[in-house]
Amino acid sequence: MAFETLIVEQVGRVTRITLNRPQALNALNSQVLTELIAALAAFDADDGQGCAVLTGSEKAFAAGADIKEMQAQGFADMYATNFFSGWETVTRTRKPIIAAVAGYALGGGCEVAMMCDFILAADTAKFGQPEIKLGVTPGMGGSQRLTHAVGKAKAMEMVLTGRMIGAEEAERAGLVARIVPAADLLDEAMKTAETIAAMAPLAVVANKEMVNAAFETSLAQGVQFERRLFNGLFGTADQKEGMTAFVEKRPGNWTGR
Ligand code: CO8
């Protein structure tokens, strides 16, 4: 598949997707959305791929939704097209996606990073929801996902003032999994993705679904959901293989079944 706004590469079982609109600091327009949906659908459908890394440039993961594309839109345009709803596709990808963030992750950029399963941040990363400065609000789930990630106090301050936070503050607040030196970000993200892609594929999907269930259910329902999936994995060949491999002191040889 040929893309104009993305670079998509397969490295072993890892798909690396690089946002590539350097002239606009990777601002997310409709073309980026269409291409990203196609790239993620191909990744999810490919049994040879186990984990994706979504990244940008050294200067910007993405500086937000494309303001120039939105500028002239009216309410009826936004409502009729359900503008931005397509971005939720990122969250429906069944296999894990790691966001590798260097530089600006602002507005929609921060929101897309938060739609990924976890964020690895370069020490140069800056996160923010500055939409209030444009007379609007986050529109791709940011007010909800940021609040889940960092709590009400910090989320409220960030959306009401548009203040950016750096990598260290983001890590302290629970927005990012880990900080790495900028020069090592891609290598570290790819290594982490390879680790995940080498696990039993069904267990990977099940673990992702379980953690995500914590955001949608009560504790009791979430624990029940976990138990059902955990028990279900005992019907897979890879559970037998994984436990036999442990007893025989060798690596598991997964079939994904
Ligand atoms: N959209 C379009 N173009 C952009 C964007 C953007 N979000 N961000 C940067 N660019 C463009 C600039 O216009 C500039 O282009 P040109 O050279 O043609 O003028 C180029 O990228 C380089 O940008 P700067 O010259 O501004 O670079 P600086 O290093 O001086 O500044 C910043 C970097 C601080 C990141 C600055 O570019 C900036 O503030 N960008 C905008 C950040 C922002 O406000 N993001 C939020 C956008 S809104 C959003 O994401 C969600 C909207 C939700 C709406 C809900 C509706 C349903």
Side-chain angles (χ1 to χ4, degrees), residues 125-251:
K126 293 178 202 66
F127 300 88
Q129 297 291 160
E131 290 91 341
I132 194 160
K133 296 181 183 172
L134 302 168
V136 289
T137 66
M140 288 151 62
S143 63
Q144 305 305 297
R145 289 195 180 91
L146 185 67
T147 307
H148 276 289
V150 306
K152 179 186 168 187
K154 200 173 281 289
M156 193 66 95
E157 189 210 352
M158 286 173 70
V159 299
L160 289 180
T161 66
R163 182 174 77 86
M164 286 186 232
I165 61 173
E168 290 201 358
E169 187 173 355
E171 187 188 33
R172 274 200 309 277
L175 181 59
V176 310
R178 243 168 349 112
I179 304 175
V180 292
D184 302 335
L185 177 69
L186 265 191
D187 283 351
E188 197 54 42
M190 292 300 286
K191 239 189 282 168
T192 306
E194 278 159 25
T195 300
I196 294 168
M199 302 293 177
L202 293 176
V204 169
V205 172
N207 275 281
K208 171 170 166 164
E209 283 181 2
M210 277 178 199
V211 173
N212 281 333
F215 292 95
E216 309 289 349
T217 60
S218 69
L219 178 61
Q221 287 169 323
V223 170
Q224 180 80 308
F225 181 74
E226 177 190 275
R227 190 71 42 80
R228 294 273 177 266
L229 265 179
F230 173 78
N231 290 344
L233 286 172
F234 283 74
T236 66
D238 279 348
Q239 173 268 329
K240 299 287 173 294
E241 168 60 13
M243 295 191 177
T244 304
F246 174 82
V247 172
E248 294 177 355
K249 300 188 187 301
R250 59 170 177 82

Side-chain angles (χ1 to χ4, degrees), residues 25-76:
L25 299 184
N26 291 332
L28 305 166
N29 64 8
S30 306
Q31 186 179 4
V32 178
L33 171 61
T34 306
E35 294 189 355
L36 190 61
I37 288 173
L40 288 176
F43 155 69
D44 225 14
D46 185 344
D47 281 346
Q49 296 298 291
C51 188
V53 170
L54 179 64
T55 194
S57 69
E58 275 176 32
K59 183 165 182 190
F61 175 77
D66 192 313
I67 298 167
K68 292 165 190 169
E69 189 180 51
M70 289 182 293
Q71 185 184 2
Q73 305 275 330
F75 168 77

